[in-house]
Each structure stands twice: as C-alpha cells, then as structure tokens.
Amino acid sequence: MTTVVLAEWTKLRTIRSTVWTLALTFLISVGLAAVSGFSVRNAYETGNAAMVRPDFDPVYSGFVGLLYGQLALIAFGALLVTSEYGTGTVRATLAAVPRRGLAYGGKLLVGCGAALVVAVATVLVSWPVNQAGLGPYGTSMAAPGVPRALAGAAVYLTLVCLFSAGVAATLRSTALTLGILIPLFFIVGPVLSRIPGVAAVARYLPDQAGQRLMDTADPLPALLVLTGWTAAAVGAGYALVRRRDV
C-alpha cells in the first residue's frame, strides 16, 4: 500500500488539472465568502435590510462560499479517477498493480487526504473572512456550536470529493460524472428542498444533508446520510473496477 500511495501521490501532484481544481476550491470559497460578508453588512448599514434573508444566520453565512467552491472539489474527485481512463494510462496502472482493490483504495486515499487538507484550510480561512466582512453583524469562532459547524464543513467537503470519485469510478467519464453531480448539487437538491411536501424527502439528498453538517444543530443524522451516499458510490465504483476488463 505504501508503494501504491507514493505512486498515486506522484500522479496527483504532477497533473495540472487536479492541482488547479484544489486551488480553485480555496480561491472561490474565500473570495465569495468575502463578497457575501461585505454585501450583507452593506445592506444593513445602508438601510436595505430587506435584501437580507429573514432567516439570516451569521454562522451559516460563513459557509456560503463553500457551496460554490465545492464545484471545483467535485471536479477534482471526478478527475482523480477519470483522467487515467481518458488517457488510457489506467492500463499501465493495472499492470503495475494487478490487485485492483489496492489500486482503487490507494487512489482514493491520496485524493481524500489531499481534499481533507484543502477542506480544512478553506474552512479555517473562508469563515473568518466572511465574519470580518459582516463586522458587527457576525459572530466568533468561540460562539456555541461554531467549532462543530466548522468541523462539519470540512468533513462535508471531504466526503463530497470521495462521493464524486466513487461516481466517477462507476461511470468512467468526466463529462457524464459532472453532468449528473452538478445538477444534483446545484439544481435538484436546492429546488426540491423548497417544494412543500417534497422538502422532507429532499433533506436525504447528499447536498442537503451536507448543509445540515454546517449548522449548530446535532450533526449525527446528516453525517449518517452523507456517509451512506458516499459509501454506496465508493462501493459501486469498487465493484465495477474489479469486474471490468480495464
């Protein structure tokens, strides 16, 4: 496993697309967090408080940038797996590591580890940046439930990346993977969560469960739902990686 992990790490850091998607996760999240914080503060101070959602929560506001920054992390998870299928180098990988489960596990371990590092850094920078923008309308890291919400956000981003990699291993296509996951996270989940009678079911979608990890409520139910989705995707990918010819 050590040799496989080292090989996968070499691939990861030498492929520009994967490095750039990780960098974009950080840059997009921090940039939008700053814009969101200053916008809300400006709305309050200029007498346009009606432009702010009536259920505005300064804690959750700090994660607004992550909801868009995760797009790059979803792409990273997909490229982590599909880049080798696109170039055909997967044959060389499987020739070097005939135990497909070992090759698959090493790839996910390296990718998930990189995603976790980026997720922690992104959360610990973007959330304070947003609160700085909010000024007197924000809150602090010492507020009740905030440390738990910050940890939940980092876990969410990491699991989203792993979920994307599992779907990519199942489909073996970057375009198809992103064509399914982007609408799921940015259209299907948000729309269904606002439809009466359907919202109760929509909360079991991965994006909606993930958002509940980023608030101050009990995170365990949301964590179980998101972990279930991730395990199913990774398990399906593993089953198909073992059965297919390449």
Side-chain angles (χ1 to χ4, degrees):
M1 176 58 82
T2 301
T3 303
V4 173
V5 167
L6 289 175
E8 291 298 333
W9 170 245
T10 301
K11 295 178 191 177
L12 177 65
R13 63 186 177 83
T14 54
I15 298 176
R16 291 183 179 180
S17 60
T18 56
V19 174
W20 274 108
T21 49
L22 289 176
L24 284 173
T25 300
F26 181 85
L27 295 174
I28 293 173
S29 299
V30 174
L32 291 180
V35 171
S36 174
F38 282 107
S39 297
V40 171
R41 180 177 181 177
N42 182 67
Y44 278 120
E45 294 181 346
T46 57
N48 295 316
M51 297 177 61
V52 182
R53 292 180 55 170
D55 59 346
F56 172 74
D57 177 8
V59 175
Y60 185 74
S61 173
F63 302 124
V64 169
L66 299 182
L67 299 179
Y68 296 94
Q70 69 175 326
L71 173 60
L73 204 56
I74 290 172
F76 168 74
L79 289 170
L80 180 70
V81 176
T82 59
S83 59
E84 286 193 312
Y85 285 102
T87 59
T89 54
V90 65
R91 294 182 177 84
T93 296
L94 295 179
V97 188
R99 294 173 58 187
R100 297 189 176 195
L102 185 63
Y104 182 61
K107 184 178 294 292
L108 294 188
L109 181 61
V110 170
C112 189
L116 176 60
V117 171
V118 172
V120 171
T122 301
V123 170
L124 292 181
V125 173
S126 64
W127 196 87
V129 164
N130 178 266
Q131 300 307 310
L134 289 174
Y137 307 100
T139 184
S140 70
M141 284 190 175
V146 171
R148 183 171 60 192
L150 294 174
V155 169
Y156 169 63
L157 291 178
T158 306
L159 289 179
V160 161
C161 176
L162 191 56
F163 174 69
S164 177
V167 173
T170 303
L171 301 177
R172 297 193 301 179
S173 166
T174 305
L176 188 55
T177 300
L178 297 182
I180 292 175
L181 295 185
I182 291 177
L184 174 63
F185 278 78
F186 293 92
I187 299 175
V188 177
V191 170
L192 293 182
S193 67
R194 289 173 172 77
I195 300 177
V198 181
V201 177
R203 66 182 181 178
Y204 292 101
L205 293 174
D207 64 307
Q208 298 302 306
Q211 290 182 30
R212 285 169 175 76
L213 279 177
M214 297 185 285
D215 59 33
T216 55
D218 180 11
L220 183 57
L223 179 60
L224 291 176
V225 170
L226 186 56
T227 301
W229 279 99
T230 304
V234 171
Y238 172 71
L240 291 176
V241 163
R242 291 195 62 185
R243 292 179 182 176
R244 287 169 174 155
D245 292 336
V246 292

